[in-house]
Coordinates of all heavy atoms in Angstrom, one line a residue:
Chain A
L454 N -106.1 105.4 -59.5 CA -105.9 105.6 -60.9 C -106.5 104.4 -61.7 O -107.2 104.6 -62.7 CB -104.5 105.8 -61.3 CG -104.1 105.9 -62.8 CD1 -104.9 106.9 -63.5 CD2 -102.6 106.2 -62.9
E455 N -106.3 103.2 -61.3 CA -106.7 102.0 -62.0 C -108.2 102.0 -62.1 O -108.8 101.5 -63.0 CB -106.2 100.7 -61.4 CG -104.7 100.5 -61.7 CD -103.7 101.4 -61.0 OE1 -104.1 102.1 -60.1 OE2 -102.5 101.4 -61.5
R456 N -108.9 102.4 -61.0 CA -110.3 102.4 -61.0 C -110.9 103.4 -61.9 O -111.9 103.1 -62.6 CB -110.9 102.6 -59.6 CG -110.6 101.5 -58.7 CD -111.2 101.7 -57.3 NE -111.0 100.5 -56.5 CZ -111.6 100.3 -55.3 NH1 -112.4 101.2 -54.8 NH2 -111.4 99.2 -54.7
I457 N -110.3 104.6 -62.0 CA -110.7 105.6 -62.9 C -110.5 105.1 -64.4 O -111.4 105.2 -65.2 CB -109.9 106.9 -62.7 CG1 -110.2 107.4 -61.4 CG2 -110.3 107.9 -63.8 CD1 -109.4 108.6 -61.0
F458 N -109.3 104.5 -64.6 CA -109.0 103.9 -65.9 C -110.0 102.9 -66.3 O -110.6 103.0 -67.4 CB -107.6 103.2 -65.7 CG -107.1 102.5 -66.9 CD1 -106.5 103.1 -68.0 CD2 -107.2 101.1 -67.0 CE1 -106.1 102.4 -69.1 CE2 -106.7 100.4 -68.1 CZ -106.2 101.1 -69.1
Y459 N -110.4 102.0 -65.4 CA -111.4 101.0 -65.8 C -112.8 101.7 -66.1 O -113.4 101.4 -67.1 CB -111.6 100.0 -64.7 CG -112.7 99.0 -65.1 CD1 -112.4 98.0 -66.0 CD2 -114.0 99.2 -64.7 CE1 -113.4 97.1 -66.5 CE2 -115.0 98.3 -65.1 CZ -114.7 97.3 -66.0 OH -115.7 96.5 -66.4
A460 N -113.2 102.6 -65.2 CA -114.5 103.2 -65.3 C -114.5 104.0 -66.6 O -115.6 104.0 -67.3 CB -114.7 104.2 -64.1
V461 N -113.5 104.7 -66.9 CA -113.4 105.5 -68.2 C -113.6 104.6 -69.4 O -114.4 104.8 -70.3 CB -112.1 106.3 -68.3 CG1 -111.9 106.8 -69.7 CG2 -112.2 107.5 -67.3
L462 N -112.8 103.5 -69.4 CA -112.9 102.5 -70.5 C -114.3 102.0 -70.7 O -114.9 102.0 -71.7 CB -111.9 101.4 -70.3 CG -110.5 101.7 -70.5 CD1 -109.6 100.4 -70.3 CD2 -110.2 102.3 -71.9
E463 N -114.8 101.5 -69.5 CA -116.2 100.9 -69.6 C -117.2 101.9 -70.1 O -118.1 101.6 -70.9 CB -116.5 100.3 -68.3 CG -117.6 99.2 -68.4 CD -118.4 99.0 -67.1 OE1 -119.2 99.9 -66.8 OE2 -118.2 98.0 -66.4
N464 N -117.1 103.1 -69.5 CA -118.1 104.1 -69.9 C -118.0 104.6 -71.3 O -118.9 105.2 -71.9 CB -118.0 105.3 -68.9 CG -118.9 105.1 -67.8 OD1 -120.2 105.2 -67.9 ND2 -118.4 104.8 -66.6
S465 N -116.8 104.5 -71.9 CA -116.6 105.0 -73.3 C -116.8 103.9 -74.3 O -116.8 104.3 -75.5 CB -115.3 105.7 -73.4 OG -114.3 105.1 -72.8
L466 N -116.9 102.7 -73.9 CA -117.1 101.7 -74.9 C -118.5 101.8 -75.6 O -119.5 101.8 -75.0 CB -117.0 100.3 -74.3 CG -117.0 99.1 -75.3 CD1 -115.8 99.1 -76.2 CD2 -117.2 97.8 -74.6
K467 N -118.5 101.9 -76.9 CA -119.7 102.0 -77.7 C -119.9 100.8 -78.6 O -118.9 100.5 -79.3 CB -119.7 103.3 -78.5 CG -119.4 104.6 -77.8 CD -120.7 105.1 -77.2 CE -120.5 106.5 -76.6 NZ -119.7 106.5 -75.4
I468 N -121.0 100.2 -78.5 CA -121.3 99.1 -79.4 C -122.6 99.3 -80.1 O -123.7 99.5 -79.5 CB -121.3 97.8 -78.6 CG1 -120.0 97.5 -77.9 CG2 -121.6 96.6 -79.5 CD1 -119.9 96.3 -77.1
T469 N -122.6 99.2 -81.4 CA -123.9 99.1 -82.2 C -123.8 97.8 -82.9 O -122.8 97.1 -82.9 CB -124.0 100.2 -83.2 OG1 -123.0 100.1 -84.2 CG2 -123.9 101.6 -82.5
D470 N -124.9 97.4 -83.6 CA -124.8 96.2 -84.4 C -123.9 96.3 -85.5 O -123.5 95.3 -86.1 CB -126.2 95.7 -84.8 CG -127.0 96.9 -85.5 OD1 -126.5 98.0 -85.5 OD2 -128.1 96.6 -86.0
K471 N -123.5 97.5 -85.9 CA -122.5 97.7 -87.0 C -121.1 97.7 -86.6 O -120.2 97.2 -87.2 CB -122.9 98.9 -87.7 CG -124.2 98.8 -88.6 CD -124.0 99.4 -89.9 CE -125.1 99.2 -90.9 NZ -126.3 100.0 -90.5
R472 N -120.8 98.4 -85.4 CA -119.4 98.5 -85.1 C -119.2 98.7 -83.6 O -120.1 98.9 -82.8 CB -118.8 99.7 -85.8 CG -119.5 101.1 -85.5 CD -119.0 102.1 -86.5 NE -119.3 103.5 -86.0 CZ -118.3 104.3 -85.6 NH1 -117.0 103.9 -85.7 NH2 -118.6 105.5 -85.1
T473 N -117.9 98.6 -83.2 CA -117.5 98.7 -81.8 C -116.4 99.7 -81.7 O -115.5 99.7 -82.5 CB -116.9 97.4 -81.3 OG1 -117.9 96.4 -81.4 CG2 -116.5 97.5 -79.9
W474 N -116.6 100.7 -80.8 CA -115.5 101.7 -80.7 C -115.4 102.3 -79.3 O -116.4 102.2 -78.5 CB -115.6 102.8 -81.8 CG -116.6 103.9 -81.5 CD1 -116.4 105.1 -81.1 CD2 -118.1 103.8 -81.8 NE1 -117.6 105.8 -81.0 CE2 -118.6 105.1 -81.4 CE3 -118.9 102.8 -82.2 CZ2 -120.0 105.3 -81.5 CZ3 -120.3 103.1 -82.3 CH2 -120.8 104.3 -82.0
L475 N -114.2 102.8 -79.0 CA -114.0 103.4 -77.7 C -114.2 104.9 -77.9 O -113.4 105.6 -78.5 CB -112.5 103.1 -77.4 CG -112.2 103.0 -75.9 CD1 -113.1 102.0 -75.2 CD2 -110.7 102.6 -75.7
G476 N -115.3 105.3 -77.4 CA -115.7 106.7 -77.5 C -115.0 107.6 -76.5 O -115.7 108.5 -75.9
I477 N -113.8 107.3 -76.2 CA -113.0 108.0 -75.2 C -112.8 109.5 -75.6 O -112.7 109.8 -76.7 CB -111.7 107.2 -75.0 CG1 -111.0 107.5 -73.7 CG2 -110.7 107.5 -76.2 CD1 -109.9 106.4 -73.4
K478 N -112.7 110.4 -74.6 CA -112.4 111.8 -74.9 C -111.1 111.9 -75.6 O -110.1 111.2 -75.2 CB -112.4 112.6 -73.6 CG -113.7 112.7 -72.9 CD -114.6 113.7 -73.6 CE -115.9 113.8 -72.9 NZ -117.0 114.4 -73.8
P479 N -111.0 112.7 -76.7 CA -109.8 112.8 -77.5 C -108.6 113.0 -76.7 O -107.5 112.5 -77.0 CB -110.1 113.9 -78.4 CG -111.6 114.1 -78.4 CD -112.1 113.6 -77.1
W480 N -108.7 113.8 -75.6 CA -107.5 114.1 -74.9 C -106.9 113.0 -74.0 O -105.8 113.1 -73.4 CB -107.7 115.4 -74.0 CG -109.0 115.5 -73.4 CD1 -109.5 114.9 -72.3 CD2 -110.1 116.3 -73.9 NE1 -110.8 115.3 -72.1 CE2 -111.2 116.1 -73.1 CE3 -110.2 117.1 -75.1 CZ2 -112.4 116.7 -73.3 CZ3 -111.5 117.7 -75.3 CH2 -112.5 117.5 -74.4
I481 N -107.7 111.9 -73.9 CA -107.1 110.7 -73.2 C -106.9 109.5 -74.2 O -106.7 108.4 -73.7 CB -107.8 110.3 -71.9 CG1 -109.3 110.2 -72.2 CG2 -107.5 111.3 -70.8 CD1 -110.0 109.7 -71.0
A482 N -107.2 109.8 -75.5 CA -107.0 108.7 -76.4 C -105.5 108.3 -76.5 O -104.7 109.1 -76.3 CB -107.5 109.1 -77.8
P483 N -105.3 107.0 -76.8 CA -103.9 106.5 -76.8 C -103.0 107.2 -77.9 O -101.8 107.3 -77.8 CB -104.0 105.0 -77.1 CG -105.3 104.8 -77.7 CD -106.2 105.9 -77.1
Y484 N -103.7 107.5 -79.1 CA -103.0 108.3 -80.1 C -103.9 109.4 -80.5 O -105.1 109.3 -80.4 CB -102.7 107.4 -81.3 CG -101.8 106.3 -81.1 CD1 -102.3 105.0 -80.8 CD2 -100.4 106.5 -81.1 CE1 -101.4 103.9 -80.6 CE2 -99.5 105.4 -80.9 CZ -100.0 104.1 -80.6 OH -99.2 103.1 -80.4
D485 N -103.3 110.5 -81.0 CA -104.1 111.6 -81.5 C -104.7 111.3 -82.8 O -105.8 111.7 -83.1 CB -103.2 112.9 -81.7 CG -102.5 113.3 -80.3 OD1 -103.1 113.0 -79.3 OD2 -101.4 113.8 -80.4
A486 N -104.0 110.6 -83.7 CA -104.5 110.5 -85.1 C -104.0 109.2 -85.7 O -103.0 108.6 -85.3 CB -104.1 111.6 -85.9
A487 N -104.7 108.7 -86.7 CA -104.3 107.6 -87.5 C -104.2 108.1 -89.0 O -105.0 108.9 -89.4 CB -105.2 106.4 -87.4

Side-chain angles (χ1 to χ4, degrees):
Chain A
L454 177 52
E455 282 72 13
R456 289 184 174 189
I457 296 172
F458 175 79
Y459 178 81
V461 163
L462 287 182
E463 202 204 74
N464 268 290
S465 40
L466 185 68
K467 303 274 190 290
I468 300 180
T469 66
D470 47 356
K471 287 224 173 72
R472 60 192 202 109
T473 299
W474 76 103
L475 210 54
I477 199 166
K478 291 286 178 196
W480 35 84
I481 49 172
Y484 295 98
D485 299 331

